[in-house]
Amino acid sequence: MGCPNQQSEVVAVSGDTKGCSCAPPKTSSAFMVNSEIGAVLAVMRRNVRWGFHYTADEDQLDHPLITSFKEIRKQVFSWQHHWHTISPVIYLQPFLDVIQSDETSAPITGVALSSIYKFLTLEVLDMDTVNVTDALHLIVDAVTSCRFEVTDPASEEVVLMKILQVLLACMKSKASVNLSNQHVCNIVNTCFQIVHQAGSKGELLQRTARHTMHELIRCIFMHLPDVCDNNQDFTPGGRSHSGDEASIPDEDHSSASKPQDNGYTGSKIELAGGPLNLSTNIPEVKMDHESTGDVDQSKTHQVAEPYGVPCMVEIFSFLCSLLNAVEHVGVGPRSNSLTYDEDVPLFAFGLINSAIELSGPSLGHHPEMLALVQNDLFHSLMQFGMSPSPLILSTVCSIVLNLYHLMRVKLKLQLEAFFSCVLMKIAVNKHGASYQQQEVAMETLVDLCRQPGFIHEMYANYDCDISCSNLFEDLANLLSKSAFPVNSPLSAIHVLALEGLIAMISGMAETMGDGDQIPVLEPDASNLEQREAFWNVKCESYENSDCWVPYIHKMKHIKKKLMIGVDHFNRDPKKGFQFLQGSCLLPETLDPISVACFLRYASGLDKNLVGEYLGNHDQFCVDVLQEYAKTFDFQEMNLDIALRVFLETFRLPGESQKIQRVVEAFAERYYGQSPNIFANKDAALLLSYSLIMLNTDQHNTQVKKKMTEDDFIRNNRRINGGNDLPREYLSELYHSICENEIRMTPEQGVGFPAMTHDNWVGLIHKSRQTAPFIVCGSGEQINNKMFAILSGPTVAALSVVLDLVDQETVLQTCIDGFLNVAKIAGCYHLDDVLDGLLVSLSKFTTLLLPMSIEDSILAFGHDSKAQKSTLAVFTIANTYGDYIRSGWRNILDCVLSLHKLGLLSARLGHDAADELESNSDDSVRSSLVNPVKPALPPARKSFGLMGRFSEFLYYDMEKPAPQPSEEQVEAQKRATEIVNECRIDSVFTESKFLQSESLLNLSRALILASHEDENGAVFCLELLITVTLNNRDRIMLLWQNVYEYIANIVQSAVMPSTLVEKAVFGLIRICRRLLPYKEELTDDLLKSLQLILKLDARVADAYCEHITREIMHLVKANAGQIKSHLGWRTITSLLSITARHPEASEPGFETLEFIMLDGAHLLPANFVLCVNAARQFAESRVGDVSRSTKSLDLMAGSSVCLVKWSREAVGEEPETALQLYQDIGEMWVRLVQSLRKVCIDSREEIRNHAVLMLQQCLTGLDGIHLQDDAWVQCFDSVVFPLLNDLLEIVEEKSVKEYRNMEGTLILSLKLLSKSFLHSLPRVSSSALFSKIWVGVLSCMEHYTKVKFRGKRSEKIHELVPELLKNTLFVMKSTGVLSPNASNGLWEQTWLHVKDLAPSVQSEVFPDDEPRTVVAGAVPEVNIAVP
């Protein structure tokens, strides 16, 4: 019966019994109790003492322990049907008596504990059990006061482990919610005492005890979020959590045991082998009624009620006190395995961390708990953070990270102090920290940077708070410097620092969508310049971003100016005040309040200067001192703490008078806020002086005889209005000063000071007045200000690390960092940042290194860093091109290098619209030049023998190229894949989406980049043309630069080259593509083509045909858009040049024919220009005669346009019509003048055809309206000069040169007669008519005298009289020639006629014919000339 082997049983305590239901049926509970009774009795019988009494001495059969078990056995089975009505206290009591008995041995106690453990884990006790609360209380009381006889160490350890099991089972039981605060504290205290004693025990007990302690803390504090605040408010009396002293329990513990009276050495759980005799230096969890004799009804209720916040406060306080107790515990070599240099802090911090993790944000909802975290815990974290142990530092950092996550809103200044005094200083190795410590600190900083919103909250709460340090800026600089390997290889710390920077950048980039432009909220400049008390600036709502964003912008602006003012003040206070007044931070006339607030709240002031200023005897300074003291809140603060807070802000001056003034101001302020302590302010003054003297006495090494406590109390007798202050009060002050010096010489220097006791006290006081913590959320509204601080250090660090690293993961991390920086810079339009990024990245592409093509491709194809950098460069160019300025040059350097390597597509320089152009243009339009095999300059074809022979030699000298290796082929393939991923073509084809300034910078960069070699220049020119064509809607932005660049190329060319070819044809291409869309730019575009006219003759000759064909395409496509005289003059000038070029004349004439045929595209603006151009083709001897003939036909056919325009002018206003008629007349004169010039051509067919076309233009335009003076001008400048010129040719030129001139003269005489007769009605009324008529007669007379090969022409002799007779008949019939005329025309006529044809007069005017004719009517006269 029973289980005797349970005495050596070790049951694991890590199992969680709370989450599973192991409750037996109620009917079996009786059997379970009976079984456990049997087990205990069985073990007791094996014991010599109990066995002897049981068999030999019948009187001992009634021993209370055994009797109680037997009594339960008698009744237990009768309870099984109504078990739920049985109080568990009845059947538990015998087991608890055994546990508490001094007479039982360890095995017996162990079995009893196992039974209790079984009842708890199998849920024999549950929430429905009667009196379950009392039962649990009894169990806890019994187990925590467990006694047993020590028999052997192994048995003792088993009992201790079972105690841990039972206590943990109590806490994990569902009924544990009924435990009181006191019982929970007792459980924790007992477990910790076992942990303390386990140092001299086995390893298993040590680990089990610690694990149980952790489990207990988890069980207790996971209950905190469920605790009702209204019912759990608790403020233990006598505890001041604003102080810094650990709570050390009294020597007389309530749970202590004394040596037993029965003569043997008993054992309680606190110490093995003897009674409890704990050192008073070991902390203990105690509810307040234990340490004080006064227990009122309220406290009793709190102690007895179900556990909640009160016990958690005490437990948490106990855990914090473990850290404070470290320095007070003297540890022997084997007295405890908890080595207090590392083990105890780690154990305590582990428990604290568990409590924090399970409490969650609820930890900050209870004032007492919050006070412990803010003061006790964080002070310990600050101290142990500087421990040389990396393990302790890591644990501390984990706790701080949890506290930041859960309670940062209530730990603003504490977090600032830890970051500045611990993490950052260790990370930069300011205190000789080991590499491991640096790594831990850096890992923590990086983990913090990875927290969403961390960097935004650092900036908003610290960098924008005038009383705090620039934490965000310091962190950015620290990480940047730590990422730089200085004279050392890249280490883990460098990579960690880089990851921190990238985490900060990524945190900002993640708040922005792709391509989003975040609105930038700037502070109102008008508000910044207003005079306002900066110490009174408040935010309307720290939760509403519409309020706090402008607020922090304003505070940051104030802080920047304030820091400058502080710097001036530290050099010269007077200049500092002057600067602050000029910056509107102090009033124009200084007052004590504003100066006092400046000295009080501005950070970075020289505390020596502040002390000297405050102690000055000047009345203004005295007033400032009074106002300065009023800025402190000393309520509910001990005098020594208040004095520390006051003196921590400045250095107490050395002169006694200054000290007196300062201390008087302090005493007056303290007394005003604490009138219940002192009778008057003099008492506060005297005691303050006394504390300063005590501080000097205790902590000055030159003072050998130190003041005792009695001396101090004696010195302060009767200072309180003639009465003594309480001895306890003075004693407390004495010990506070002795243990922690008031430092009269504060640390100076930039940055956060070392955290001394006084600094910590001042920080706690300052935390009451600091601005609330701002929770930023995404923080995108302040990213721009933060990025301005962060971008520079980040880019520098990324560049350095990328230069040194080869690991793939680190490489990708750096590239991602660059891209995130680019994303933010693009969102905020920070072109200087993007330009800097491109400068840095382009260096890592290896494309700019001077190497051969083969080596470059090989290096690029195998260099992951170069590939990733190149991808990043073009990713930035494609994504954020709008905000690139000078960086385009770096991008183009990379593009040029890839072009030289032959890795770019041949279509890169062509815009999208090129695909729509005809394939027939491909032979004319230039393509990109292969940089590896540059094209030869275009030249005229060599048809001669020497030319063919030279070509043969050239081809014969070519050698086959060597075959590339497999490595080169693979590198080429990989390089091509990377270049394709870069999407370089879209940089230029999508340039139409770039902002104007970026586009302008791109075009300038293309122009600058083209100054390298000719191949590069050609390539850049192609890209420039592509960009220009893709931005036709913004051509005015680019046109000036593009035109000037092309003009420079064209005008400087002296020989044909690829560059000048690209320039010329690119210019024509631009004009051709833009003319249909840019009517207002037509003249400028066409004027630019005049550059072609300035080409060197050799260059022009090489490209003339192609140029002409391009002009032809341009005219055919855009003739309707060309309206101006200037534009047509350029076109016709280019066409005129081609008239005498063998290859170019054909397309040139085709273009001219397209314009002039049927007057299709003739306009008043281009009429004369086209006629002149046609004359050039008519006179040209290039090509066959038919082209010249067609040219003359075009000239003559253009006259129909004059007729059409003349008719259109009829409906215009008179003034407009008159001007039109005048213009038409001028065009007609220019037409016939041009024809007249061709009439003297040496080629007979051309000459005669020209005369006929001239005659047609003079006599065949019936619908044209010509003024009289036009005809007069025509005779003077066309008809008469033509006849004279022809006559001179006959007389002076060779017959071989001008063949068959006789026929031409005959045609010209007919032209003379017909033109005269056709113009007679208009010129007859002219004053110059007689001159014209005489001229006609003179021409006929001269022509009759002309000789051909010494003989007169019979044809002319026959023709002239006939022409003359017909002319006279017409003149007679019209009344122009009459004997009665008074103008002398009659006489002049017959004077010339008689020499030409004497018989004509009689034929025309016979004597019998009437002499007069009715004037006006012109009869029809046959003027046909045979």
Side-chain angles (χ1 to χ4, degrees):
M1 184 176 181
C3 302
N5 60 339
Q6 288 189 17
Q7 62 180 339
S8 59
E9 178 187 5
V10 178
V11 182
V13 298
S14 60
D16 187 359
T17 63
K18 194 171 184 178
C20 60
S21 179
C22 303
K26 295 303 180 181
T27 56
S28 65
S29 297
F31 293 91
M32 190 182 303
V33 172
N34 182 68
S35 174
E36 294 307 314
I37 291 174
V40 175
L41 290 176
V43 177
M44 293 179 70
R45 292 187 184 105
R46 294 180 60 181
N47 186 278
V48 175
R49 177 188 305 173
W50 299 99
F52 174 79
H53 287 294
Y54 182 77
T55 57
D57 190 352
E58 294 298 329
D59 294 335
Q60 296 299 321
L61 291 177
D62 297 326
H63 189 282
L65 292 178
I66 295 178
T67 303
S68 61
F69 280 114
K70 289 184 176 182
E71 290 297 327
I72 297 299
R73 261 189 157 180
K74 293 177 182 178
Q75 305 177 49
V76 67
F77 290 108
S78 63
W79 299 340
Q80 56 182 328
H81 296 296
H82 54 277
W83 187 265
H84 62 281
T85 63
I86 304 301
S87 173
V89 176
I90 299 175
Y91 57 81
L92 289 178
Q93 191 62 54
F95 296 95
L96 301 181
D97 291 341
V98 170
I99 293 171
Q100 292 178 294
S101 174
D102 294 334
E103 301 176 6
T104 55
S105 62
I108 299 172
T109 305
V111 175
L113 288 167
S114 295
S115 299
I116 298 297
Y117 178 73
K118 183 176 181 180
F119 298 153
L120 290 170
T121 55
L122 295 183
E123 298 186 10
V124 174
L125 304 177
D126 57 22
M127 293 295 294
D128 299 326
T129 304
V130 177
N131 293 334
V132 66
T133 301
D134 295 338
L136 281 178
H137 288 174
L138 287 173
I139 292 173
V140 173
D141 290 338
V143 175
T144 54
S145 60
C146 173
R147 292 176 175 275
F148 59 91
E149 182 182 1
V150 177
T151 55
D152 61 272
S155 300
E156 182 183 3
E157 290 187 21
V158 171
V159 173
L160 293 177
M161 290 183 65
K162 291 188 176 182
I163 291 172
L164 295 173
Q165 285 181 330
V166 173
L167 293 178
L168 182 58
C170 287
M171 288 306 306
K172 288 190 173 184
S173 170
K174 293 180 179 179
S176 64
V177 294
N178 296 317
L179 287 172
S180 68
N181 289 302
Q182 182 60 60
H183 285 91
V184 172
C185 291
N186 289 343
I187 290 173
V188 173
N189 185 53
T190 300
C191 287
F192 178 74
Q193 289 172 344
I194 295 177
V195 171
H196 176 68
Q197 297 176 58
S200 59
K201 310 297 181 183
E203 183 71 16
L204 180 60
L205 178 62
Q206 294 179 34
R207 294 183 178 276
T208 303
R210 294 188 186 188
H211 179 77
T212 304
M213 193 73 179
H214 277 282
E215 288 294 310
L216 283 175
I217 296 300
R218 292 189 183 106
C219 288
I220 295 168
F221 281 89
M222 71 167 50
H223 183 56
L224 182 60
D226 302 327
V227 173
C228 176
D229 295 344
N230 296 332
N231 298 329
Q232 298 295 339
D233 291 338
F234 175 66
T235 305
R239 179 182 302 279
S240 175
H241 291 290
S242 62
D244 299 284
E245 317 302 333
S247 296
I248 306 300
D250 298 332
E251 293 185 8
D252 185 15
H253 298 287
S254 62
S255 58
S257 65
K258 298 180 179 179
Q260 303 303 312
D261 298 333
N262 54 14
Y264 72 92
T265 304
S267 176
K268 196 185 175 197
I269 60 172
E270 287 84 353
L271 277 177
L276 174 66
N277 187 20
L278 279 177
S279 168
T280 58
N281 292 323
I282 302 301
E284 184 179 358
V285 184
K286 298 172 66 176
M287 292 300 292
D288 288 314
H289 77 281
E290 294 182 78
S291 56
T292 60
D294 301 328
V295 183
D296 57 22
Q297 185 176 1
S298 174
K299 290 291 178 65
T300 303
H301 172 71
Q302 290 173 344
V303 170
E305 69 180 0
Y307 81 93
V309 174
C311 75
M312 296 181 196
V313 170
E314 290 303 319
I315 294 170
F316 200 82
S317 176
F318 158 71
L319 297 179
C320 294
S321 68
L322 287 179
L323 300 172
N324 291 331
V326 170
E327 58 193 47
H328 301 295
V329 176
V331 183
R334 282 292 298 164
S335 64
N336 197 333
S337 66
L338 292 175
T339 54
Y340 274 79
D341 56 346
E342 182 175 277
D343 209 9
V344 168
L346 287 176
F347 178 62
F349 281 132
L351 297 176
I352 290 171
N353 200 28
S354 295
I356 293 172
E357 288 173 341
L358 291 167
S359 298
S362 302
L363 198 65
H365 298 164
H366 304 283
E368 282 295 317
M369 202 78 78
L370 177 61
L372 285 170
V373 174
Q374 290 175 326
N375 192 358
D376 298 45
L377 175 58
F378 242 103
H379 193 200
S380 297
L381 292 172
M382 295 288 296
Q383 291 177 328
F384 283 97
M386 303 307 296
S387 166
S389 168
L391 194 54
I392 290 179
L393 177 60
S394 179
T395 307
V396 167
C397 291
S398 298
I399 294 174
V400 171
L401 192 60
N402 283 331
L403 289 174
Y404 167 78
H405 175 65
L406 299 171
M407 301 175 59
R408 61 185 180 276
V409 174
K410 300 175 181 178
L411 298 173
K412 178 177 177 179
L413 297 188
Q414 288 85 346
L415 288 170
E416 178 194 17
F418 186 83
F419 294 156
S420 299
C421 293
V422 178
L423 285 183
M424 291 188 180
K425 289 188 177 180
I426 292 177
V428 297
N429 196 18
K430 276 196 173 181
H431 300 289
S434 65
Y435 179 85
Q436 290 77 12
Q437 287 177 284
Q438 287 181 266
E439 194 169 9
V440 170
M442 191 63 71
E443 286 173 348
T444 304
L445 289 173
V446 174
D447 286 341
L448 285 166
C449 292
R450 292 185 177 124
Q451 304 305 308
F454 170 77
I455 56 173
H456 301 97
E457 291 173 353
M458 292 301 101
Y459 178 79
N461 290 287
Y462 302 110
D463 291 53
C464 298
D465 190 326
I466 60 174
S467 62
C468 296
S469 59
N470 290 332
L471 205 55
F472 170 77
E473 187 172 351
D474 294 343
L475 179 58
N477 291 330
L478 182 149
L479 292 175
S480 176
K481 292 177 182 177
S482 300
F484 281 73
V486 180
N487 301 324
S488 63
L490 196 68
S491 66
I493 287 182
H494 299 137
V495 177
L496 272 174
L498 182 68
E499 289 177 356
L501 283 172
I502 294 175
M504 296 172 79
I505 287 292
S506 300
M508 298 170 64
E510 287 171 1
T511 63
M512 306 174 180
D514 293 334
D516 288 352
Q517 296 184 7
I518 306 299
V520 178
L521 298 179
E522 297 291 348
D524 188 354
S526 61
N527 292 337
L528 296 178
E529 300 304 324
Q530 294 178 356
R531 293 189 181 275
E532 184 178 4
F534 62 86
W535 56 92
N536 288 330
V537 178
K538 302 296 181 184
C539 180
E540 294 181 4
S541 172
Y542 290 91
E543 289 79 26
N544 186 354
S545 60
D546 293 336
C547 296
W548 65 255
V549 170
Y551 166 74
I552 65 170
H553 282 322
K554 181 175 184 178
M555 294 308 296
K556 184 61 177 176
H557 179 82
I558 291 174
K559 187 174 182 179
K560 285 180 179 179
K561 288 188 175 182
L562 200 59
M563 291 177 69
I564 299 173
V566 167
D567 187 57
H568 284 298
F569 179 89
N570 290 341
R571 290 196 296 266
D572 185 344
K574 185 177 180 181
K575 291 183 178 179
F577 288 134
Q578 290 175 350
F579 173 84
L580 293 170
Q581 288 174 296
S583 301
C584 301
L585 295 179
L586 291 180
E588 294 182 4
T589 302
L590 293 178
D591 59 81
I593 294 178
S594 60
V595 174
C597 290
F598 166 71
L599 299 177
R600 176 74 170 90
Y601 299 114
S603 60
L605 289 170
D606 187 328
K607 294 186 178 182
N608 293 317
L609 289 177
V610 175
E612 290 295 328
Y613 189 89
L614 293 175
N616 197 296
H617 67 279
D618 183 79
Q619 184 57 45
F620 183 80
C621 294
V622 172
D623 295 340
V624 170
L625 175 60
Q626 296 296 324
E627 296 297 335
Y628 186 85
K630 291 178 182 178
T631 62
F632 290 87
D633 180 13
F634 295 141
Q635 295 184 41
E636 300 181 1
M637 193 179 293
N638 285 347
L639 180 64
D640 64 315
I641 300 298
L643 191 59
R644 292 178 192 277
V645 169
F646 187 68
L647 296 181
E648 188 268 337
T649 58
F650 62 93
R651 181 183 183 274
L652 193 64
E655 298 180 21
S656 60
Q657 292 181 345
K658 293 182 178 180
I659 294 175
Q660 180 180 356
R661 280 191 288 271
V662 171
V663 177
E664 283 179 353
F666 163 76
E668 183 176 352
R669 177 62 174 172
Y670 185 81
Y671 174 75
Q673 292 189 314
S674 305
N676 298 328
I677 300 177
F678 299 103
N680 49 50
K681 65 178 181 180
D682 291 337
L685 174 62
L686 291 173
L687 188 55
S688 299
Y689 257 115
S690 182
L691 290 178
I692 293 174
M693 294 174 62
L694 174 64
N695 186 74
T696 303
D697 176 87
Q698 293 294 320
H699 301 287
N700 191 327
T701 56
Q702 296 180 356
V703 178
K704 302 302 181 183
K705 186 179 180 181
K706 303 297 183 181
M707 186 186 304
T708 65
E709 180 179 349
D710 291 336
D711 293 338
F712 177 73
I713 295 173
R714 187 183 313 112
N715 292 340
N716 290 286
R717 286 180 179 175
R718 298 184 179 180
I719 64 172
N720 192 26
N723 298 319
D724 291 339
L725 290 166
R727 182 180 181 88
E728 294 79 8
Y729 179 73
L730 294 176
S731 177
E732 183 181 356
L733 294 177
Y734 174 84
H735 288 291
S736 174
I737 299 298
C738 291
E739 293 171 6
N740 294 292
E741 175 188 4
I742 300 177
R743 294 185 179 273
M744 300 297 183
T745 307
E747 293 185 5
Q748 299 291 337
V750 180
F752 216 95
M755 189 53 62
T756 63
H757 181 269
D758 289 355
N759 293 140
W760 184 256
V761 172
L763 183 144
I764 297 299
H765 176 264
K766 182 180 174 183
S767 65
R768 302 176 184 175
Q769 301 174 327
T770 190
F773 192 95
I774 298 173
V775 179
C776 294
S778 62
E780 71 272 5
Q781 293 170 311
I782 57 175
N783 275 342
N784 60 319
K785 297 296 183 182
M786 297 168 58
F787 186 69
I789 298 171
L790 185 59
S791 59
T794 302
V795 173
L798 287 170
S799 301
V800 172
V801 175
L802 187 60
D803 187 32
L804 299 175
V805 75
D806 292 318
Q807 296 94 330
E808 193 72 17
T809 54
V810 182
L811 278 178
Q812 190 59 51
T813 299
C814 291
I815 296 300
D816 292 342
F818 275 115
L819 294 179
N820 278 327
V821 171
K823 179 179 180 180
I824 301 171
C827 284
Y828 290 112
H829 310 176
L830 303 176
D831 49 87
D832 54 335
V833 176
L834 285 171
D835 293 339
L837 278 181
L838 292 169
V839 169
S840 300
L841 279 172
S842 61
K843 296 177 182 177
F844 301 111
T845 61
T846 70
L847 297 174
L848 309 182
L849 299 178
M851 292 190 292
S852 66
I853 292 176
E854 293 78 8
D855 292 342
S856 295
I857 294 177
L858 195 62
F860 184 77
H862 291 94
D863 190 343
S864 178
K865 183 191 300 183
Q867 295 168 9
K868 291 181 183 295
S869 300
T870 304
L871 275 170
V873 166
F874 290 104
T875 299
I876 293 173
N878 277 301
T879 310
Y880 311 109
D882 278 341
Y883 315 109
I884 298 175
R885 301 295 180 262
S886 62
W888 284 119
R889 182 60 193 272
N890 303 100
I891 295 172
L892 291 176
D893 287 342
C894 296
V895 173
L896 281 172
S897 297
L898 292 171
H899 171 66
K900 291 176 182 177
L901 299 180
L903 296 175
L904 295 182
S905 167
R907 298 293 297 172
L908 181 63
H910 292 262
D911 60 291
D914 284 342
E915 303 296 335
L916 302 177
E917 296 187 359
S918 173
N919 292 333
S920 63
D921 296 339
D922 292 344
S923 61
V924 179
R925 185 169 56 250
S926 55
S927 61
L928 285 179
V929 180
N930 189 335
V932 182
K933 295 180 180 180
L936 294 173
R940 302 286 294 275
K941 295 181 179 179
S942 300
F943 295 101
L945 177 62
M946 293 303 296
R948 297 299 181 96
F949 182 67
S950 298
E951 292 181 6
F952 173 77
L953 291 179
Y954 173 77
Y955 290 119
D956 186 59
M957 291 172 61
E958 287 188 347
K959 296 181 180 179
Q963 293 297 320
S965 64
E966 291 184 5
E967 184 182 14
Q968 290 175 325
V969 171
E970 184 63 29
Q972 175 85 23
K973 180 181 178 182
R974 180 59 183 154
T976 304
E977 291 174 355
I978 293 296
V979 172
N980 290 338
E981 290 178 27
C982 290
R983 297 172 49 245
I984 298 175
D985 56 335
S986 64
V987 174
F988 305 100
T989 57
E990 300 299 321
S991 60
K992 56 190 172 185
F993 300 114
L994 291 177
Q995 291 187 0
S996 298
E997 189 174 355
S998 178
L999 178 63
L1000 191 59
N1001 278 277
L1002 172 58
S1003 65
R1004 289 171 180 168
L1006 283 167
I1007 292 172
L1008 291 174
S1010 64
H1011 294 157
E1012 304 293 335
D1013 55 87
E1014 183 177 4
N1015 285 330
V1018 170
F1019 181 71
C1020 287
L1021 180 58
E1022 285 279 0
L1023 294 179
L1024 180 62
I1025 293 170
T1026 296
V1027 170
T1028 304
L1029 292 177
N1030 277 288
N1031 289 274
R1032 66 189 184 198
D1033 293 331
R1034 297 184 289 176
I1035 186 63
M1036 293 303 298
L1037 182 69
L1038 303 174
W1039 178 244
Q1040 188 63 32
N1041 289 335
V1042 174
Y1043 174 75
E1044 289 177 359
Y1045 175 56
I1046 293 178
N1048 183 53
I1049 294 175
V1050 170
Q1051 293 174 1
S1052 61
V1054 294
M1055 291 293 291
S1057 67
T1058 306
L1059 180 60
V1060 70
E1061 178 189 5
K1062 302 296 181 186
V1064 171
F1065 291 111
L1067 181 61
I1068 299 174
R1069 185 172 157 210
I1070 291 172
C1071 293
R1072 180 179 170 185
R1073 289 282 302 281
L1074 296 182
L1075 279 175
Y1077 306 101
K1078 293 294 175 183
E1079 184 176 350
E1080 72 280 3
L1081 199 59
T1082 299
D1083 289 347
D1084 290 332
L1085 290 171
L1086 294 174
K1087 182 180 178 181
S1088 68
L1089 295 178
Q1090 293 179 3
L1091 288 174
I1092 300 174
L1093 302 175
K1094 300 178 183 179
L1095 282 170
D1096 184 270
R1098 289 166 291 187
V1099 178
D1101 183 60
Y1103 305 121
C1104 190
E1105 180 183 2
H1106 290 173
I1107 291 173
T1108 307
R1109 291 192 180 278
E1110 284 295 303
I1111 296 297
M1112 179 179 67
H1113 295 313
L1114 182 148
V1115 172
K1116 287 184 176 182
N1118 304 287
Q1121 279 75 38
I1122 306 174
K1123 306 291 185 182
S1124 68
H1125 175 76
L1126 178 63
W1128 280 112
R1129 185 174 66 182
T1130 304
I1131 297 295
T1132 54
S1133 298
L1134 292 170
L1135 296 178
S1136 298
I1137 293 174
T1138 66
R1140 290 171 176 78
H1141 194 279
E1143 288 85 10
S1145 61
E1146 181 180 350
F1149 180 75
E1150 182 180 347
T1151 306
L1152 186 63
E1153 187 178 28
F1154 171 79
I1155 299 170
M1156 298 185 67
L1157 188 62
D1158 298 329
H1161 297 288
L1162 284 176
L1163 303 168
N1166 68 355
F1167 184 87
V1168 175
L1169 297 172
C1170 290
V1171 167
N1172 290 335
R1175 179 178 62 81
Q1176 295 291 336
F1177 281 95
E1179 294 174 345
S1180 173
R1181 294 179 179 271
V1182 176
D1184 54 14
V1185 177
S1186 61
R1187 183 187 298 163
S1188 297
T1189 304
K1190 289 181 180 179
S1191 300
L1192 292 171
D1193 292 339
L1194 291 176
M1195 294 173 70
S1198 65
S1199 60
V1200 299
C1201 292
L1202 299 178
V1203 176
K1204 180 179 70 172
W1205 297 335
S1206 182
R1207 291 171 180 169
E1208 291 173 353
V1210 175
E1212 300 291 339
E1213 295 292 334
E1215 294 182 2
T1216 304
L1218 183 62
Q1219 182 63 43
L1220 288 174
Y1221 291 146
Q1222 185 177 352
D1223 293 340
I1224 292 170
E1226 291 178 0
M1227 286 186 280
W1228 176 75
V1229 171
R1230 298 292 293 273
L1231 170 62
V1232 295
Q1233 285 177 345
S1234 296
L1235 285 170
R1236 170 248 164 193
K1237 292 178 181 179
V1238 187
C1239 290
I1240 59 175
D1241 193 276
S1242 61
R1243 295 169 294 174
E1244 177 187 1
E1245 183 178 352
I1246 302 303
R1247 184 174 63 245
N1248 292 342
H1249 193 69
V1251 174
L1252 292 174
M1253 293 300 102
L1254 178 59
Q1255 178 181 315
Q1256 177 182 329
C1257 290
L1258 291 173
T1259 62
L1261 304 180
D1262 293 334
I1264 193 171
H1265 185 283
L1266 297 175
Q1267 296 179 355
D1268 296 344
D1269 57 351
W1271 279 105
V1272 174
Q1273 183 182 0
C1274 178
F1275 277 100
D1276 288 341
S1277 62
V1278 178
V1279 178
F1280 294 150
L1282 172 60
L1283 270 68
N1284 292 334
D1285 290 343
L1286 291 173
L1287 192 60
E1288 289 179 6
I1289 290 173
V1290 173
E1291 294 174 351
E1292 299 176 6
K1293 300 295 181 180
S1294 167
V1295 178
K1296 293 182 179 180
E1297 185 178 356
Y1298 285 85
R1299 298 180 182 275
N1300 197 13
M1301 284 297 296
E1302 182 180 10
T1304 304
L1305 293 181
I1306 292 172
L1307 291 175
S1308 64
L1309 284 171
K1310 293 178 182 180
L1311 178 147
L1312 174 66
S1313 176
K1314 289 186 177 184
S1315 59
F1316 178 76
L1317 292 175
H1318 183 78
S1319 63
L1320 183 62
R1322 294 181 178 86
V1323 299
S1324 60
S1325 60
S1326 173
L1328 299 175
F1329 174 71
S1330 60
K1331 179 182 176 181
I1332 294 173
W1333 170 237
V1334 171
V1336 171
L1337 295 174
S1338 297
C1339 287
M1340 290 182 177
E1341 184 179 356
H1342 291 153
Y1343 270 53
T1344 58
K1345 298 177 181 179
V1346 70
K1347 294 181 179 181
F1348 297 97
R1349 297 182 181 181
K1351 297 180 180 181
R1352 291 187 177 184
S1353 171
E1354 294 296 332
K1355 293 181 180 180
I1356 294 177
H1357 264 278
E1358 293 175 0
L1359 178 63
V1360 168
E1362 291 296 329
L1363 294 175
L1364 181 59
K1365 183 172 62 176
N1366 286 340
T1367 304
L1368 291 173
F1369 270 121
V1370 173
M1371 294 177 69
K1372 174 186 174 184
S1373 63
T1374 57
V1376 175
L1377 182 64
S1378 170
N1380 299 327
S1382 60
N1383 54 6
L1385 185 64
W1386 179 267
E1387 291 78 7
Q1388 291 181 4
T1389 301
W1390 301 120
L1391 182 64
H1392 287 81
V1393 171
K1394 68 180 182 179
D1395 295 330
L1396 289 173
S1399 61
V1400 170
Q1401 183 177 6
S1402 59
E1403 294 178 10
V1404 177
F1405 291 96
D1407 295 338
D1408 56 346
E1409 187 168 350
R1411 297 286 181 163
T1412 61
V1413 180
V1414 179
V1418 179
E1420 293 185 4
V1421 180
N1422 182 12
I1423 59 173
V1425 180

